[in-house]
Amino acid sequence: MYYKKVAEYVSTTEEVRGTVTTRYSIVMSEISIFNGKEEVKLPSYGIEIVQQVFDDEKDVVEKWEERVVNISPYFEKVDKLAELFKEMSLSPIHLYEVIDDMCEHYISDYDKLVKLCKIAI
């Protein structure tokens, strides 16, 4: 699947094991949804979290990453989520757990937007 990063929040902390940098990126792709017989292409935003641990020589010692690419067709909603995840210091390991609990609040956005697109056509 093709996606591109459209925004990013970065958090850096110093820990015993080294400097931990966590990037909360908003990624954009496109999704096709059928509304009856009609195919509608919508933008789709998601979140990618990449966490790296650097040693004193600035070499990457550990790296974790995870992404969920289809959260909502609305950038603003996903942007708020990325900010919230940064404030929570959410690790990539826990991304799916948290998103799974929130999924119902966002997935219906696609259906609402498809209906608006059909009315506009």
Side-chain angles (χ1 to χ4, degrees):
M1 163 169 275
Y2 172 77
Y3 66 92
K4 68 178 182 176
K5 293 180 184 177
V6 292
E8 185 173 75
Y9 297 94
V10 179
S11 172
T12 302
T13 58
E14 293 295 328
E15 295 183 6
V16 175
R17 58 187 177 157
T19 303
V20 180
T21 301
T22 309
R23 298 181 183 281
Y24 302 86
S25 302
I26 300 164
V27 295
M28 180 183 157
S29 60
E30 190 175 76
I31 189 169
S32 296
I33 297 178
F34 286 91
N35 189 10
K37 297 178 183 177
E38 189 177 347
E39 178 183 17
V40 179
K41 293 188 183 248
L42 302 175
S44 185
Y45 296 93
I47 294 177
E48 175 184 67
I49 302 176
V50 177
Q51 189 171 68
Q52 294 176 309
V53 179
F54 296 92
D55 63 12
D56 293 336
E57 288 81 40
K58 304 294 182 200
D59 294 324
V60 177
V61 179
E62 297 175 35
K63 180 179 179 179
W64 300 272
E65 64 181 278
E66 197 62 72
R67 81 181 60 85
V68 178
V69 290
N70 296 318
I71 296 173
S72 175
Y74 300 114
F75 172 82
E76 298 80 18
K77 283 188 164 186
V78 179
D79 186 50
K80 286 182 182 178
L81 267 182
E83 281 187 88
L84 174 66
F85 292 168
K86 180 183 178 270
E87 289 172 15
M88 294 171 48
S89 299
L90 185 70
S91 75
I93 298 167
H94 297 103
L95 177 61
Y96 275 105
E97 290 175 33
V98 174
I99 286 291
D100 195 37
D101 292 340
M102 302 174 147
C103 186
E104 294 175 15
H105 300 289
Y106 294 93
I107 200 73
S108 62
D109 290 344
Y110 292 103
D111 293 332
K112 292 174 189 171
L113 189 58
V114 164
K115 289 177 185 175
L116 287 174
C117 290
K118 188 169 185 171
I119 291 169
I121 295 173

